[in-house]
Amino acid sequence: MTTEGDPPDRRSTFADIDVSRPNVARVYDAFLGGKNNFAADREFVEKALQVAPKAPLAALANRAFLRRVVRHLVGEAGITQLLDIGSGLPTQGNVSEVAHEINEAVRVVHVDNDPVVYSHSKALLADARTTDIVLGDVRRPAEILADPAVRALIDFGRPAGLLLIAILHHIDDHDNPGRIAAELRDAMAPGSYLAISSFHMPGPEFPELRAATIEGEKLLMGTLGSGRWREYGEILSWFGDWELLEPGLVSLMEWRPPVRGRIRRDEIYHSFYGGVARKT
Ligand SMILES: C[S@@+](CC[C@H](N)C(=O)[O-])C[C@H]1O[C@@H](n2cnc3c(N)ncnc32)[C@H](O)[C@@H]1O
């Protein structure tokens, strides 16, 4: 599918769609209970469930974290522009939906390198004035920052929310997620916010969980081609010198939970971390 008026570099992207292999965005959609996935994605989910039966809970916890973060940025911090990189398929409760429930004027640019995500989002956003989707690769931050569609909605001279939710664990070490985060941080105005969630390698005090996580990592790397569980210090470094909001970089479930109930400290608790920081 190509839309009239798409820049030339986007015209060939649909030749790249291969539905015979599982793909990150569609597998995540399947975990969330969405319908934008194919047989190969669902087969992968079945396999993953054998190794990690609670994997769908991790996807749901991440989406819930994303919603709490966007509500905080738009509803409490007064942010009116959001750059959402690795936006995923526009399944229920995505960034623009949540932002616009609070303030319809918030400008949102979604960015993803998956042509299915791009075409699906573009079709849904055909009439939108405050929201757009850009086909871009976070490994090339300068291209995203210079993209005319990004610049049309995001004013980098004013505070904005930069969302890197569940994307940097899909960036391999040789692509240097630390360098990517730093380049993006540098482009943001003081008063901007950065939200990150990432697969987190459980600490050495949990040797069995660490071993199981390493097995999970092998499965993802071998089938999806990405999925790295990072140590706490590495994830923390992606915030640079920005000021971490309370409660810091924590298990997703501990980041401002709506109800202070008993949180189960199971493998999901230890394997997925997130936080939000502010550029001072
Ligand atoms: C797990 S989904 C996360 C979706 C959404 N941010 C959320 O947390 O609900 C990861 C998304 O990152 C996208 N992605 C992976 N590698 C990417 C890259 N190098 N550049 C841009 N997007 C990428 C995938 O296509 C997928 O849609």
Coordinates of all heavy atoms in Angstrom, one line a residue, residues 178-219:
G178 N 22.7 3.7 23.8 CA 23.1 4.9 24.6 C 23.4 6.1 23.7 O 23.0 7.2 24.0
R179 N 24.0 5.8 22.6 CA 24.3 6.9 21.6 C 23.0 7.5 21.1 O 22.8 8.7 20.9 CB 25.2 6.3 20.5 CG 25.7 7.3 19.4 CD 25.0 7.2 18.1 NE 24.6 5.9 17.6 CZ 23.6 5.7 16.7 NH1 23.0 6.7 16.1 NH2 23.3 4.5 16.3
I180 N 22.0 6.6 20.8 CA 20.7 7.0 20.2 C 20.0 7.9 21.2 O 19.5 8.9 20.8 CB 19.9 5.7 19.9 CG1 20.5 4.9 18.7 CG2 18.4 6.1 19.6 CD1 19.9 3.5 18.5
A181 N 19.9 7.4 22.4 CA 19.2 8.2 23.5 C 19.8 9.5 23.6 O 19.2 10.6 23.7 CB 19.2 7.4 24.8
A182 N 21.2 9.6 23.6 CA 21.9 10.9 23.8 C 21.6 11.8 22.7 O 21.3 13.0 22.9 CB 23.4 10.6 23.9
E183 N 21.6 11.3 21.4 CA 21.3 12.2 20.3 C 19.9 12.8 20.4 O 19.7 14.0 20.1 CB 21.5 11.4 19.0 CG 22.9 11.3 18.5 CD 23.0 10.8 17.1 OE1 22.2 11.1 16.2 OE2 23.9 9.9 16.9
L184 N 19.0 12.0 20.8 CA 17.6 12.4 20.9 C 17.5 13.4 22.0 O 16.8 14.5 21.9 CB 16.6 11.2 21.1 CG 16.5 10.3 19.8 CD1 15.8 9.0 20.2 CD2 15.7 11.1 18.7
R185 N 18.1 13.1 23.2 CA 18.0 14.0 24.3 C 18.5 15.4 24.0 O 17.9 16.4 24.3 CB 18.8 13.5 25.5 CG 18.2 12.3 26.3 CD 18.9 12.1 27.6 NE 20.3 12.2 27.6 CZ 21.1 11.2 27.4 NH1 20.6 9.9 27.3 NH2 22.5 11.3 27.4
D186 N 19.6 15.4 23.2 CA 20.3 16.7 22.9 C 19.4 17.6 22.1 O 19.5 18.8 22.1 CB 21.6 16.4 22.1 CG 22.7 16.0 23.0 OD1 22.5 16.0 24.2 OD2 23.8 15.6 22.4
A187 N 18.4 17.0 21.3 CA 17.6 17.8 20.5 C 16.4 18.4 21.2 O 15.7 19.3 20.7 CB 17.0 16.9 19.3
M188 N 16.2 18.0 22.5 CA 15.0 18.4 23.2 C 15.3 19.7 24.0 O 16.4 19.9 24.5 CB 14.5 17.3 24.2 CG 14.4 16.0 23.5 SD 13.3 15.8 22.1 CE 11.7 16.1 22.8
A189 N 14.3 20.6 24.1 CA 14.4 21.8 24.9 C 14.3 21.5 26.4 O 13.7 20.5 26.8 CB 13.2 22.7 24.5
P190 N 14.9 22.4 27.2 CA 14.8 22.3 28.7 C 13.3 22.2 29.0 O 12.4 22.9 28.3 CB 15.4 23.6 29.2 CG 16.4 24.0 28.1 CD 15.8 23.6 26.8
G191 N 13.0 21.5 30.0 CA 11.5 21.3 30.4 C 10.9 20.1 29.7 O 9.8 19.7 30.0
S192 N 11.7 19.5 28.8 CA 11.2 18.3 28.1 C 11.3 17.1 29.0 O 12.0 17.0 30.0 CB 12.0 18.0 26.8 OG 11.8 19.0 25.9
Y193 N 10.5 16.0 28.6 CA 10.5 14.8 29.4 C 10.9 13.6 28.5 O 10.6 13.6 27.3 CB 9.1 14.5 29.9 CG 8.7 15.4 31.1 CD1 8.2 16.7 30.8 CD2 8.8 15.1 32.4 CE1 7.8 17.6 31.8 CE2 8.4 15.9 33.4 CZ 7.9 17.2 33.1 OH 7.6 18.1 34.1
L194 N 11.6 12.7 29.1 CA 11.9 11.4 28.4 C 11.4 10.2 29.2 O 11.6 10.1 30.4 CB 13.5 11.3 28.3 CG 14.0 10.0 27.9 CD1 13.6 9.6 26.5 CD2 15.6 10.0 28.0
A195 N 10.6 9.4 28.5 CA 10.1 8.2 29.2 C 10.6 7.0 28.4 O 10.7 6.9 27.2 CB 8.5 8.2 29.1
I196 N 11.1 6.1 29.2 CA 11.7 4.9 28.7 C 11.2 3.6 29.4 O 11.0 3.7 30.6 CB 13.3 4.9 28.9 CG1 13.9 6.0 28.1 CG2 13.9 3.5 28.5 CD1 15.5 6.1 28.3
S197 N 10.9 2.6 28.6 CA 10.7 1.3 29.3 C 11.5 0.3 28.5 O 11.8 0.4 27.3 CB 9.2 0.8 29.3 OG 8.8 0.5 28.0
S198 N 12.0 -0.7 29.2 CA 13.0 -1.6 28.6 C 13.0 -3.0 29.3 O 12.8 -3.0 30.6 CB 14.4 -1.0 28.6 OG 15.3 -2.0 28.3
F199 N 13.2 -4.1 28.6 CA 13.5 -5.3 29.2 C 14.7 -5.2 30.2 O 15.7 -4.5 29.8 CB 13.9 -6.4 28.2 CG 12.7 -6.8 27.3 CD1 13.0 -7.5 26.1 CD2 11.4 -6.6 27.6 CE1 12.0 -7.9 25.2 CE2 10.4 -7.0 26.7 CZ 10.7 -7.6 25.5
H200 N 14.5 -5.7 31.4 CA 15.6 -5.5 32.4 C 16.1 -6.9 32.9 O 15.2 -7.8 33.2 CB 14.9 -4.8 33.6 CG 15.7 -4.8 34.8 ND1 15.4 -5.6 35.9 CD2 16.8 -4.1 35.2 CE1 16.3 -5.4 36.9 NE2 17.2 -4.5 36.5
M201 N 17.4 -7.1 32.9 CA 17.9 -8.3 33.4 C 17.9 -8.4 34.9 O 18.4 -7.5 35.6 CB 19.4 -8.4 32.9 CG 20.1 -9.7 33.3 SD 19.3 -11.2 32.6 CE 19.8 -11.3 30.9
P202 N 17.2 -9.4 35.4 CA 17.1 -9.5 36.9 C 18.5 -9.6 37.5 O 19.4 -10.1 36.9 CB 16.3 -10.8 37.1 CG 15.6 -11.1 35.8 CD 16.4 -10.5 34.8
G203 N 18.6 -9.0 38.7 CA 19.9 -8.9 39.3 C 20.5 -10.3 39.7 O 19.8 -11.3 39.7
P204 N 21.8 -10.4 40.1 CA 22.5 -11.6 40.4 C 21.9 -12.3 41.6 O 22.1 -13.5 41.8 CB 23.9 -11.2 40.7 CG 23.9 -9.7 40.8 CD 22.7 -9.2 40.1
E205 N 21.1 -11.6 42.4 CA 20.4 -12.2 43.5 C 19.3 -13.2 43.1 O 18.7 -13.9 43.9 CB 19.9 -11.2 44.5 CG 18.8 -10.2 44.0 CD 19.3 -9.0 43.3 OE1 20.4 -9.1 42.6 OE2 18.7 -7.9 43.3
F206 N 19.0 -13.2 41.8 CA 17.9 -14.1 41.3 C 18.5 -15.0 40.2 O 18.2 -14.8 39.0 CB 16.8 -13.3 40.7 CG 16.1 -12.3 41.6 CD1 16.4 -10.9 41.5 CD2 15.3 -12.7 42.6 CE1 15.8 -10.0 42.3 CE2 14.7 -11.8 43.5 CZ 15.0 -10.4 43.3
P207 N 19.4 -15.9 40.6 CA 20.2 -16.7 39.5 C 19.2 -17.5 38.6 O 19.5 -17.5 37.4 CB 21.1 -17.6 40.3 CG 20.6 -17.5 41.7 CD 19.8 -16.3 41.9
E208 N 18.2 -18.0 39.2 CA 17.3 -18.9 38.3 C 16.5 -18.0 37.3 O 16.4 -18.4 36.1 CB 16.3 -19.6 39.2 CG 16.9 -20.8 39.8 CD 16.0 -21.5 40.8 OE1 14.7 -21.4 40.6 OE2 16.5 -22.2 41.7
L209 N 16.1 -16.9 37.8 CA 15.4 -15.9 36.9 C 16.3 -15.4 35.8 O 15.9 -15.3 34.6 CB 14.8 -14.8 37.8 CG 13.7 -14.0 37.2 CD1 12.6 -14.9 36.7 CD2 13.1 -13.1 38.4
R210 N 17.5 -15.1 36.2 CA 18.5 -14.7 35.2 C 18.7 -15.7 34.1 O 18.7 -15.4 32.9 CB 19.9 -14.4 35.9 CG 20.2 -13.0 36.1 CD 21.5 -12.8 36.8 NE 22.6 -12.3 36.0 CZ 22.8 -11.0 35.8 NH1 22.0 -10.1 36.3 NH2 23.8 -10.6 35.1
A211 N 18.8 -17.0 34.6 CA 19.1 -18.1 33.6 C 17.9 -18.2 32.6 O 18.0 -18.3 31.4 CB 19.3 -19.4 34.3
A212 N 16.7 -18.1 33.2 CA 15.5 -18.2 32.4 C 15.4 -17.1 31.4 O 15.0 -17.2 30.3 CB 14.2 -18.3 33.3
T213 N 15.8 -15.9 31.9 CA 15.7 -14.7 31.1 C 16.7 -14.8 29.9 O 16.4 -14.4 28.8 CB 16.0 -13.4 31.9 OG1 15.1 -13.4 33.0 CG2 15.9 -12.2 31.1
I214 N 17.8 -15.4 30.2 CA 18.8 -15.6 29.1 C 18.3 -16.5 28.0 O 18.4 -16.3 26.8 CB 20.2 -16.1 29.7 CG1 20.8 -14.9 30.5 CG2 21.1 -16.6 28.6 CD1 22.0 -15.3 31.4
E215 N 17.5 -17.5 28.5 CA 16.8 -18.5 27.5 C 15.8 -17.7 26.7 O 15.7 -17.8 25.4 CB 16.1 -19.6 28.2 CG 17.0 -20.7 28.7 CD 18.0 -21.1 27.7 OE1 17.6 -21.6 26.6 OE2 19.3 -21.0 27.9
G216 N 15.0 -16.8 27.3 CA 14.1 -16.0 26.6 C 14.7 -15.1 25.6 O 14.2 -14.9 24.5
E217 N 15.9 -14.5 26.0 CA 16.6 -13.6 25.1 C 17.0 -14.4 23.8 O 16.9 -13.9 22.7 CB 17.8 -13.0 25.8 CG 18.6 -12.0 25.0 CD 19.6 -11.3 25.8 OE1 20.7 -11.9 25.9 OE2 19.4 -10.2 26.3
K218 N 17.5 -15.6 24.1 CA 17.9 -16.5 22.9 C 16.8 -16.7 22.0 O 16.9 -16.7 20.7 CB 18.5 -17.8 23.4 CG 19.9 -17.7 23.9 CD 20.4 -19.2 24.2 CE 21.6 -19.1 25.1 NZ 21.7 -20.3 26.0
L219 N 15.6 -17.0 22.5 CA 14.4 -17.2 21.7 C 14.1 -16.0 20.9 O 13.9 -16.1 19.6 CB 13.2 -17.6 22.6 CG 11.9 -17.8 21.8 CD1 11.9 -19.0 21.0 CD2 10.7 -17.8 22.8

